[in-house]
PDB file of all heavy atoms in Angstrom:
ATOM      1  N   VAL A  49     236.240 159.450  38.481  1.00 98.00           N
ATOM      2  CA  VAL A  49     235.554 159.585  37.196  1.00 98.00           C
ATOM      3  C   VAL A  49     236.622 159.753  36.132  1.00 98.00           C
ATOM      4  O   VAL A  49     237.535 160.571  36.296  1.00 98.00           O
ATOM      5  CB  VAL A  49     234.624 160.818  37.193  1.00 98.00           C
ATOM      6  CG1 VAL A  49     234.052 161.061  35.800  1.00 98.00           C
ATOM      7  CG2 VAL A  49     233.501 160.642  38.206  1.00 98.00           C
ATOM      8  N   SER A  65     227.533 158.513  29.531  1.00 98.00           N
ATOM      9  CA  SER A  65     228.002 157.903  30.778  1.00 98.00           C
ATOM     10  C   SER A  65     227.934 156.393  30.616  1.00 98.00           C
ATOM     11  O   SER A  65     226.860 155.840  30.359  1.00 98.00           O
ATOM     12  CB  SER A  65     227.126 158.333  31.963  1.00 98.00           C
ATOM     13  OG  SER A  65     227.441 157.511  33.094  1.00 98.00           O
ATOM     14  N   LEU A  66     229.053 155.736  30.772  1.00 98.00           N
ATOM     15  CA  LEU A  66     229.049 154.270  30.664  1.00 98.00           C
ATOM     16  C   LEU A  66     228.409 153.645  31.902  1.00 98.00           C
ATOM     17  O   LEU A  66     228.077 152.469  31.907  1.00 98.00           O
ATOM     18  CB  LEU A  66     230.473 153.736  30.472  1.00 98.00           C
ATOM     19  CG  LEU A  66     231.191 154.255  29.215  1.00 98.00           C
ATOM     20  CD1 LEU A  66     232.566 153.607  29.088  1.00 98.00           C
ATOM     21  CD2 LEU A  66     230.359 154.010  27.953  1.00 98.00           C
ATOM     22  N   ASN A  67     228.194 154.443  32.950  1.00 98.00           N
ATOM     23  CA  ASN A  67     227.549 153.905  34.158  1.00 98.00           C
ATOM     24  C   ASN A  67     226.067 153.644  33.931  1.00 98.00           C
ATOM     25  O   ASN A  67     225.505 152.708  34.484  1.00 98.00           O
ATOM     26  CB  ASN A  67     227.735 154.854  35.340  1.00 98.00           C
ATOM     27  CG  ASN A  67     229.184 154.913  35.778  1.00 98.00           C
ATOM     28  OD1 ASN A  67     229.942 155.747  35.285  1.00 98.00           O
ATOM     29  ND2 ASN A  67     229.584 154.006  36.644  1.00 98.00           N
ATOM     30  N   ASN A  68     225.422 154.496  33.128  1.00 98.00           N
ATOM     31  CA  ASN A  68     223.995 154.253  32.863  1.00 98.00           C
ATOM     32  C   ASN A  68     223.733 154.026  31.375  1.00 98.00           C
ATOM     33  O   ASN A  68     222.587 153.824  30.964  1.00 98.00           O
ATOM     34  CB  ASN A  68     223.128 155.408  33.400  1.00 98.00           C
ATOM     35  CG  ASN A  68     223.543 156.756  32.825  1.00 98.00           C
ATOM     36  OD1 ASN A  68     224.074 156.826  31.710  1.00 98.00           O
ATOM     37  ND2 ASN A  68     223.308 157.821  33.556  1.00 98.00           N
ATOM     38  N   GLY A  85     218.200 165.619  35.701  1.00 96.00           N
ATOM     39  CA  GLY A  85     218.968 164.459  35.246  1.00 96.00           C
ATOM     40  C   GLY A  85     220.458 164.611  35.498  1.00 96.00           C
ATOM     41  O   GLY A  85     220.944 165.686  35.865  1.00 96.00           O
ATOM     42  N   TRP A  86     221.162 163.533  35.313  1.00 98.00           N
ATOM     43  CA  TRP A  86     222.596 163.509  35.601  1.00 98.00           C
ATOM     44  C   TRP A  86     223.380 164.455  34.698  1.00 98.00           C
ATOM     45  O   TRP A  86     224.445 164.940  35.069  1.00 98.00           O
ATOM     46  CB  TRP A  86     223.124 162.065  35.467  1.00 98.00           C
ATOM     47  CG  TRP A  86     223.026 161.539  34.064  1.00 98.00           C
ATOM     48  CD1 TRP A  86     221.958 160.941  33.483  1.00 98.00           C
ATOM     49  CD2 TRP A  86     224.054 161.611  33.062  1.00 98.00           C
ATOM     50  NE1 TRP A  86     222.250 160.619  32.184  1.00 98.00           N
ATOM     51  CE2 TRP A  86     223.527 161.018  31.901  1.00 98.00           C
ATOM     52  CE3 TRP A  86     225.366 162.105  33.033  1.00 98.00           C
ATOM     53  CZ2 TRP A  86     224.257 160.916  30.714  1.00 98.00           C
ATOM     54  CZ3 TRP A  86     226.089 162.009  31.855  1.00 98.00           C
ATOM     55  CH2 TRP A  86     225.531 161.411  30.723  1.00 98.00           C
ATOM     56  N   GLN A  87     222.839 164.736  33.499  1.00 98.00           N
ATOM     57  CA  GLN A  87     223.574 165.615  32.583  1.00 98.00           C
ATOM     58  C   GLN A  87     223.727 167.024  33.125  1.00 98.00           C
ATOM     59  O   GLN A  87     224.569 167.792  32.668  1.00 98.00           O
ATOM     60  CB  GLN A  87     222.937 165.637  31.187  1.00 98.00           C
ATOM     61  CG  GLN A  87     221.505 166.111  31.142  1.00 98.00           C
ATOM     62  CD  GLN A  87     220.522 164.932  31.240  1.00 98.00           C
ATOM     63  OE1 GLN A  87     220.809 163.915  31.882  1.00 98.00           O
ATOM     64  NE2 GLN A  87     219.393 165.048  30.585  1.00 98.00           N
ATOM     65  N   TYR A  89     225.020 167.828  35.853  1.00 98.00           N
ATOM     66  CA  TYR A  89     226.362 167.937  36.458  1.00 98.00           C
ATOM     67  C   TYR A  89     227.423 168.251  35.408  1.00 98.00           C
ATOM     68  O   TYR A  89     228.501 168.731  35.742  1.00 98.00           O
ATOM     69  CB  TYR A  89     226.733 166.641  37.190  1.00 98.00           C
ATOM     70  CG  TYR A  89     225.866 166.365  38.388  1.00 98.00           C
ATOM     71  CD1 TYR A  89     224.709 165.594  38.281  1.00 98.00           C
ATOM     72  CD2 TYR A  89     226.191 166.874  39.639  1.00 98.00           C
ATOM     73  CE1 TYR A  89     223.905 165.334  39.383  1.00 98.00           C
ATOM     74  CE2 TYR A  89     225.396 166.620  40.753  1.00 98.00           C
ATOM     75  CZ  TYR A  89     224.254 165.854  40.620  1.00 98.00           C
ATOM     76  OH  TYR A  89     223.463 165.614  41.710  1.00 98.00           O
ATOM     77  N   LEU A 111     232.329 159.134  29.614  1.00 98.00           N
ATOM     78  CA  LEU A 111     232.855 159.027  30.967  1.00 98.00           C
ATOM     79  C   LEU A 111     232.441 157.723  31.640  1.00 98.00           C
ATOM     80  O   LEU A 111     231.434 157.102  31.284  1.00 98.00           O
ATOM     81  CB  LEU A 111     232.392 160.227  31.792  1.00 98.00           C
ATOM     82  CG  LEU A 111     230.886 160.406  31.993  1.00 98.00           C
ATOM     83  CD1 LEU A 111     230.440 159.803  33.314  1.00 98.00           C
ATOM     84  CD2 LEU A 111     230.537 161.887  31.950  1.00 98.00           C
ATOM     85  N   THR A 112     233.234 157.351  32.603  1.00 98.00           N
ATOM     86  CA  THR A 112     232.920 156.181  33.431  1.00 98.00           C
ATOM     87  C   THR A 112     233.427 156.467  34.831  1.00 98.00           C
ATOM     88  O   THR A 112     234.362 157.254  35.004  1.00 98.00           O
ATOM     89  CB  THR A 112     233.570 154.903  32.851  1.00 98.00           C
ATOM     90  OG1 THR A 112     233.177 153.787  33.653  1.00 98.00           O
ATOM     91  CG2 THR A 112     235.080 154.988  32.854  1.00 98.00           C
ATOM     92  N   SER A 113     232.797 155.860  35.842  1.00 98.00           N
ATOM     93  CA  SER A 113     233.168 156.178  37.215  1.00 98.00           C
ATOM     94  C   SER A 113     233.107 154.943  38.097  1.00 98.00           C
ATOM     95  O   SER A 113     232.207 154.119  37.958  1.00 98.00           O
ATOM     96  CB  SER A 113     232.199 157.235  37.771  1.00 98.00           C
ATOM     97  OG  SER A 113     232.404 157.417  39.156  1.00 98.00           O
ATOM     98  N   VAL A 115     233.369 155.671  41.452  1.00 97.00           N
ATOM     99  CA  VAL A 115     233.018 156.284  42.740  1.00 97.00           C
ATOM    100  C   VAL A 115     231.579 155.863  43.059  1.00 97.00           C
ATOM    101  O   VAL A 115     230.679 156.155  42.271  1.00 97.00           O
ATOM    102  CB  VAL A 115     233.089 157.828  42.679  1.00 97.00           C
ATOM    103  CG1 VAL A 115     232.833 158.422  44.069  1.00 97.00           C
ATOM    104  CG2 VAL A 115     234.413 158.307  42.113  1.00 97.00           C
ATOM    105  N   PRO A 116     231.352 155.182  44.178  1.00 94.00           N
ATOM    106  CA  PRO A 116     229.977 154.783  44.496  1.00 94.00           C
ATOM    107  C   PRO A 116     229.071 156.013  44.515  1.00 94.00           C
ATOM    108  O   PRO A 116     229.437 157.047  45.076  1.00 94.00           O
ATOM    109  CB  PRO A 116     230.102 154.166  45.893  1.00 94.00           C
ATOM    110  CG  PRO A 116     231.537 153.757  46.019  1.00 94.00           C
ATOM    111  CD  PRO A 116     232.310 154.757  45.216  1.00 94.00           C
ATOM    112  N   MET A 117     227.890 155.914  43.878  1.00 94.00           N
ATOM    113  CA  MET A 117     227.010 157.086  43.786  1.00 94.00           C
ATOM    114  C   MET A 117     226.050 157.141  44.962  1.00 94.00           C
ATOM    115  O   MET A 117     225.472 156.133  45.344  1.00 94.00           O
ATOM    116  CB  MET A 117     226.207 157.034  42.495  1.00 94.00           C
ATOM    117  CG  MET A 117     227.050 157.377  41.286  1.00 94.00           C
ATOM    118  SD  MET A 117     226.085 157.268  39.778  1.00 94.00           S
ATOM    119  CE  MET A 117     227.322 156.528  38.701  1.00 94.00           C
ATOM    120  N   GLY A 118     225.913 158.340  45.537  1.00 89.00           N
ATOM    121  CA  GLY A 118     224.956 158.532  46.620  1.00 89.00           C
ATOM    122  C   GLY A 118     225.414 157.932  47.943  1.00 89.00           C
ATOM    123  O   GLY A 118     224.610 157.767  48.853  1.00 89.00           O
ATOM    124  N   ALA A 119     226.690 157.621  48.078  1.00 90.00           N
ATOM    125  CA  ALA A 119     227.204 157.024  49.318  1.00 90.00           C
ATOM    126  C   ALA A 119     227.912 158.061  50.178  1.00 90.00           C
ATOM    127  O   ALA A 119     228.533 157.731  51.182  1.00 90.00           O
ATOM    128  CB  ALA A 119     228.160 155.877  48.992  1.00 90.00           C
ATOM    129  N   GLY A 120     227.862 159.320  49.763  1.00 90.00           N
ATOM    130  CA  GLY A 120     228.551 160.361  50.517  1.00 90.00           C
ATOM    131  C   GLY A 120     230.033 160.440  50.204  1.00 90.00           C
ATOM    132  O   GLY A 120     230.804 161.054  50.942  1.00 90.00           O
ATOM    133  N   LEU A 121     230.440 159.841  49.082  1.00 95.00           N
ATOM    134  CA  LEU A 121     231.859 159.887  48.697  1.00 95.00           C
ATOM    135  C   LEU A 121     232.068 160.885  47.562  1.00 95.00           C
ATOM    136  O   LEU A 121     233.135 160.950  46.970  1.00 95.00           O
ATOM    137  CB  LEU A 121     232.342 158.481  48.311  1.00 95.00           C
ATOM    138  CG  LEU A 121     232.215 157.455  49.454  1.00 95.00           C
ATOM    139  CD1 LEU A 121     232.518 156.047  48.964  1.00 95.00           C
ATOM    140  CD2 LEU A 121     233.150 157.815  50.612  1.00 95.00           C
ATOM    141  N   SER A 122     231.021 161.648  47.277  1.00 96.00           N
ATOM    142  CA  SER A 122     231.096 162.762  46.348  1.00 96.00           C
ATOM    143  C   SER A 122     231.337 162.360  44.893  1.00 96.00           C
ATOM    144  O   SER A 122     232.202 162.910  44.222  1.00 96.00           O
ATOM    145  CB  SER A 122     232.160 163.756  46.796  1.00 96.00           C
ATOM    146  OG  SER A 122     231.550 164.985  47.015  1.00 96.00           O
ATOM    147  N   SER A 123     230.547 161.437  44.414  1.00 97.00           N
ATOM    148  CA  SER A 123     230.601 161.112  42.984  1.00 97.00           C
ATOM    149  C   SER A 123     230.206 162.339  42.167  1.00 97.00           C
ATOM    150  O   SER A 123     230.670 162.518  41.042  1.00 97.00           O
ATOM    151  CB  SER A 123     229.680 159.938  42.664  1.00 97.00           C
ATOM    152  OG  SER A 123     228.315 160.300  42.778  1.00 97.00           O
ATOM    153  N   SER A 124     229.353 163.198  42.739  1.00 97.00           N
ATOM    154  CA  SER A 124     228.905 164.377  41.988  1.00 97.00           C
ATOM    155  C   SER A 124     230.058 165.369  41.799  1.00 97.00           C
ATOM    156  O   SER A 124     230.271 165.868  40.691  1.00 97.00           O
ATOM    157  CB  SER A 124     227.716 165.045  42.683  1.00 97.00           C
ATOM    158  OG  SER A 124     228.043 165.456  43.991  1.00 97.00           O
ATOM    159  N   ALA A 125     230.822 165.630  42.845  1.00 98.00           N
ATOM    160  CA  ALA A 125     231.962 166.551  42.704  1.00 98.00           C
ATOM    161  C   ALA A 125     233.020 165.949  41.787  1.00 98.00           C
ATOM    162  O   ALA A 125     233.653 166.666  40.997  1.00 98.00           O
ATOM    163  CB  ALA A 125     232.570 166.867  44.073  1.00 98.00           C
ATOM    164  N   LEU A 127     232.490 164.063  39.244  1.00 98.00           N
ATOM    165  CA  LEU A 127     232.013 164.262  37.865  1.00 98.00           C
ATOM    166  C   LEU A 127     232.215 165.715  37.430  1.00 98.00           C
ATOM    167  O   LEU A 127     232.766 165.994  36.357  1.00 98.00           O
ATOM    168  CB  LEU A 127     230.532 163.857  37.795  1.00 98.00           C
ATOM    169  CG  LEU A 127     229.806 164.032  36.470  1.00 98.00           C
ATOM    170  CD1 LEU A 127     230.565 163.378  35.322  1.00 98.00           C
ATOM    171  CD2 LEU A 127     228.393 163.448  36.560  1.00 98.00           C
ATOM    172  N   GLU A 156     227.063 172.862  41.040  1.00 97.00           N
ATOM    173  CA  GLU A 156     226.241 172.031  41.932  1.00 97.00           C
ATOM    174  C   GLU A 156     225.187 172.863  42.668  1.00 97.00           C
ATOM    175  O   GLU A 156     224.032 172.476  42.776  1.00 97.00           O
ATOM    176  CB  GLU A 156     227.141 171.282  42.935  1.00 97.00           C
ATOM    177  CG  GLU A 156     226.351 170.366  43.845  1.00 97.00           C
ATOM    178  CD  GLU A 156     226.949 168.976  44.016  1.00 97.00           C
ATOM    179  OE1 GLU A 156     228.001 168.689  43.421  1.00 97.00           O
ATOM    180  OE2 GLU A 156     226.337 168.170  44.734  1.00 97.00           O
ATOM    181  N   ALA A 162     221.813 171.837  44.368  1.00 92.00           N
ATOM    182  CA  ALA A 162     222.128 171.143  45.624  1.00 92.00           C
ATOM    183  C   ALA A 162     223.015 172.046  46.477  1.00 92.00           C
ATOM    184  O   ALA A 162     224.115 172.418  46.065  1.00 92.00           O
ATOM    185  CB  ALA A 162     222.839 169.826  45.338  1.00 92.00           C
ATOM    186  N   ASP A 168     233.992 169.404  48.922  1.00 97.00           N
ATOM    187  CA  ASP A 168     234.055 168.279  47.988  1.00 97.00           C
ATOM    188  C   ASP A 168     234.817 168.640  46.723  1.00 97.00           C
ATOM    189  O   ASP A 168     235.668 167.879  46.250  1.00 97.00           O
ATOM    190  CB  ASP A 168     232.644 167.823  47.603  1.00 97.00           C
ATOM    191  CG  ASP A 168     231.844 167.361  48.802  1.00 97.00           C
ATOM    192  OD1 ASP A 168     232.440 167.208  49.883  1.00 97.00           O
ATOM    193  OD2 ASP A 168     230.626 167.160  48.652  1.00 97.00           O
TER     194      ASP A 168
HETATM  195  P1  ADP B 401     227.285 161.644  46.038  1.00 53.88           P
HETATM  196  O1  ADP B 401     227.953 162.875  45.525  1.00 53.88           O
HETATM  197  O2  ADP B 401     227.356 161.517  47.509  1.00 53.88           O
HETATM  198  O3  ADP B 401     227.748 160.398  45.363  1.00 53.88           O
HETATM  199  P2  ADP B 401     224.999 162.944  44.888  1.00 53.88           P
HETATM  200  O4  ADP B 401     223.549 162.696  45.005  1.00 53.88           O
HETATM  201  O5  ADP B 401     225.517 164.273  45.251  1.00 53.88           O
HETATM  202  O6  ADP B 401     225.725 161.770  45.714  1.00 53.88           O
HETATM  203  O7  ADP B 401     225.451 162.679  43.390  1.00 53.88           O
HETATM  204  C1  ADP B 401     225.081 161.504  42.720  1.00 53.88           C
HETATM  205  C2  ADP B 401     224.524 161.866  41.348  1.00 53.88           C
HETATM  206  O8  ADP B 401     225.592 162.339  40.495  1.00 53.88           O
HETATM  207  C3  ADP B 401     223.952 160.679  40.605  1.00 53.88           C
HETATM  208  O9  ADP B 401     222.603 160.455  40.960  1.00 53.88           O
HETATM  209  C4  ADP B 401     224.069 161.143  39.161  1.00 53.88           C
HETATM  210  O10 ADP B 401     223.048 162.041  38.819  1.00 53.88           O
HETATM  211  C5  ADP B 401     225.377 161.929  39.166  1.00 53.88           C
HETATM  212  N1  ADP B 401     226.519 161.098  38.749  1.00 53.88           N
HETATM  213  C6  ADP B 401     227.659 160.899  39.442  1.00 53.88           C
HETATM  214  N2  ADP B 401     228.518 160.106  38.749  1.00 53.88           N
HETATM  215  C7  ADP B 401     227.896 159.813  37.573  1.00 53.88           C
HETATM  216  C8  ADP B 401     228.254 159.023  36.428  1.00 53.88           C
HETATM  217  N3  ADP B 401     229.427 158.396  36.365  1.00 53.88           N
HETATM  218  N4  ADP B 401     227.356 158.943  35.415  1.00 53.88           N
HETATM  219  C9  ADP B 401     226.173 159.575  35.496  1.00 53.88           C
HETATM  220  N5  ADP B 401     225.790 160.310  36.529  1.00 53.88           N
HETATM  221  C10 ADP B 401     226.615 160.435  37.580  1.00 53.88           C
END
Side-chain angles (χ1 to χ4, degrees):
V49 173
S65 168
L66 300 183
N67 292 90
N68 56 28
W86 65 274
Q87 60 267 31
Y89 294 92
L111 62 96
T112 183
S113 171
V115 185
M117 285 179 220
L121 300 172
S122 240
S123 70
S124 59
L127 178 52
E156 182 134 0
D168 299 350

